[in-house]
């Protein structure tokens, strides 16, 4: 921390120390967290020392413009820092400036105009094949009070999520006419249409539900129904999986979307081509599929060697 303090004028160094002390005493932050905050602000101070031509004091910190802050973020980005780290550093700076304003040292309105870096879309962790099958069967919640057709319905929906990689909205909008085709024609995000094969286990689950459902199912209407006969709501499936998490001892990351992620991850683990998985998921970009399936470097290198004529 001493190297960072040297990058600041005495009054700014005192402000930094007061800020860190308040984080420790008032917010009771852990030592490692305090160390990260100090490092973030220290890197900022070092940059500003070079940027301004001298160690900044409180007056200089108060007069920094949006361009000054952006220059620091751009330097860090050019050094290969990822968006999550940049977002954390921006959060550290805002915390320091809030403390400076709260204690009456100075204020700077420019920092509030700076947007945080866009973070990559987070994807849920996949379930193991065995756990995914247990969730799809939904047998852990079967009981005398559960109507057979409701259990069959839940199994059909969950089997579609895992067996076909559907989004929950896609599964619940399926019509009887769609389900009776050899393959599902799915219109997903961006009105992108894709064909998804129906595995025998998925077809059997849908057929059982259709046979047991007490309501008249019209070919052109969503076939999954709630207990009063209306279209099944996504919230019902979310609550169902929440109950299965408890029954099966699954983590909080086990969600309806985790079944879609498990579908893609298990295909990849068994040698499926990324382009095939991209088409099955309905992704417009292969890069999205790579993130979604947590592609490892070894697999990418293997695909490269197979595909590149000079590899």
């Amino acid at each position: 921390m001493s190297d960072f303090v040297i990058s600041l004028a005495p009054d700014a160094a005192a402000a930094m120390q007061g800020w860190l002390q308040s984080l420790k005493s008032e917010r009771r932050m852990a030592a490692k967290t305090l160390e990260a905050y100090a490092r973030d602000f220290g890197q900022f101070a070092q940059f500003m020392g070079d940027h301004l031509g001298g160690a900044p004091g409180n007056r200089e910190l108060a007069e920094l413009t949006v361009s000054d802050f952006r220059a620091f973020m751009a330097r860090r980005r050019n050094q290969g820092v990822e968006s999550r780290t940049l977002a954390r550093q921006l959060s550290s700076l805002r915390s320091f400036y809030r403390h400076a304003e709260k204690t009456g040292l100075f204020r700077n309105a420019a920092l509030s105009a700076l947007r945080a870096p866009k973070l990559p879309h987070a994807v849920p962790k996949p379930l193991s094949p065995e756990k995914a099958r247990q969730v799809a069967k939904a047998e852990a919640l079967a009981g005398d009070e559960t109507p057979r057709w409701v259990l069959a319905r839940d199994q059909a929906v969950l089997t579609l999520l895992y067996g076909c990689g559907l989004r929950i909205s896609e599964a619940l909008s399926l019509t009887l006419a769609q389900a009776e085709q050899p393959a599902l024609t799915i219109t997903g995000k961006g009105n992108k249409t894709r064909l998804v094969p129906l595995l025998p286990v998925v077809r059997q689950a849908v057929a059982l539900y259709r046979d047991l459902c007490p309501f008249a199912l019209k070919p052109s209407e969503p076939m999954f129904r709630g207990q009063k006969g209306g279209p099944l709501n996504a919230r019902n499936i979310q609550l169902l999986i929440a109950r299965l998490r408890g029954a099966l001892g699954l983590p909080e990351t086990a969600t309806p979307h985790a079944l879609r992620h498990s579908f893609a991850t298990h295909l990849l683990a068994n040698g499926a081509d990324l382009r095939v998985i991209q088409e099955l998921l309905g992704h417009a970009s292969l890069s999205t599929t790579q993130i979604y399936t947590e592609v490892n470097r070894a697999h990418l290198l293997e695909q490269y060697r197979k595909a590149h004529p000079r590899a």
Side-chain angles (χ1 to χ4, degrees):
M1 190 182 300
S2 59
D3 292 340
F4 299 153
V5 172
I6 292 172
S7 303
L8 295 165
D11 59 345
M16 175 185 174
Q17 296 287 12
W19 165 59
L20 292 174
Q21 183 59 40
S22 73
L23 294 179
K24 180 180 179 180
S25 60
E26 296 174 16
R27 298 184 58 183
R28 301 185 181 280
M29 283 189 173
K32 290 291 185 182
T33 305
L34 288 172
E35 183 180 327
Y37 270 55
R39 184 170 57 249
D40 288 341
F41 191 81
Q43 290 167 345
F44 171 72
Q46 288 176 332
F47 170 81
M48 284 303 164
D50 295 335
H51 183 66
L52 301 174
N58 286 349
R59 187 181 70 177
E60 288 76 21
L61 293 177
E63 293 175 351
L64 292 178
T65 66
V66 173
S67 296
D68 294 322
F69 289 112
R70 283 178 178 162
F72 167 67
M73 302 295 279
R75 170 70 66 83
R76 297 293 289 150
R77 176 72 77 182
N78 290 336
Q79 291 172 338
V81 173
E82 296 181 351
S83 294
R84 292 190 187 280
T85 301
L86 284 177
R88 191 199 67 222
Q89 290 197 303
L90 185 57
S91 176
S92 298
L93 294 180
R94 285 176 171 157
S95 175
F96 168 79
Y97 273 90
R98 283 196 300 269
H99 174 77
E101 182 174 355
K102 180 181 177 181
T103 54
L105 293 176
F106 58 85
R107 67 185 304 271
N108 184 309
L111 190 58
S112 62
L114 202 64
R115 286 188 177 184
K118 186 175 181 180
L119 298 179
H121 177 65
V123 293
K125 293 182 180 179
L127 301 173
S128 69
E130 179 59 30
K131 289 297 185 183
R133 284 192 290 268
Q134 289 179 357
V135 171
K137 288 181 179 180
E139 291 177 345
L141 299 180
D144 295 337
E145 72 284 356
T146 305
R148 277 193 67 206
W149 78 270
V150 171
L151 179 60
R153 178 202 66 191
D154 294 344
Q155 290 177 335
V157 173
L158 297 177
T159 303
L160 281 163
L161 299 183
Y162 177 51
C164 297
L166 300 189
R167 300 177 178 92
I168 188 170
S169 59
E170 295 169 346
L172 296 186
S173 64
L174 279 180
T175 65
L176 196 60
Q178 285 176 288
E180 289 176 342
Q181 298 302 311
L184 295 176
T185 300
I186 303 296
T187 302
K189 289 184 177 180
N191 288 323
K192 181 177 174 61
T193 301
R194 68 187 191 275
L195 283 177
V196 181
L198 272 175
L199 297 173
V201 66
V202 180
R203 194 177 295 280
Q204 291 167 10
V206 171
L208 178 61
Y209 161 70
R210 185 182 57 210
D211 292 342
L212 294 177
C213 181
F215 305 106
L217 300 176
K218 297 181 179 179
S220 60
E221 295 179 352
M223 66 176 178
F224 291 114
R225 303 299 181 86
Q227 295 207 36
K228 294 184 179 180
L232 183 62
N233 192 287
R235 184 61 179 158
N236 293 98
I237 302 302
Q238 291 165 348
L239 291 173
L240 169 67
I241 291 190
R243 290 162 57 208
L244 284 167
R245 284 200 300 265
L248 298 173
L250 300 176
E252 290 297 315
T253 53
T255 63
H257 204 68
L259 288 175
R260 171 174 159 88
H261 186 33
S262 301
F263 162 84
T265 304
H266 298 164
L267 282 178
L268 181 66
N270 284 283
D273 184 81
L274 280 175
R275 291 287 181 187
V276 173
I277 297 175
Q278 177 190 0
E279 289 299 319
L280 291 173
L281 292 174
H283 287 158
S285 169
L286 184 62
S287 61
T288 305
T289 311
Q290 290 172 342
I291 296 171
Y292 199 93
T293 56
E294 298 179 346
V295 179
N296 59 58
R297 183 173 301 180
H299 181 81
L300 284 175
L301 288 174
E302 181 183 352
Q303 296 299 314
Y304 172 81
R305 293 191 186 101
K306 289 180 180 178
H308 199 285
R310 297 184 64 182

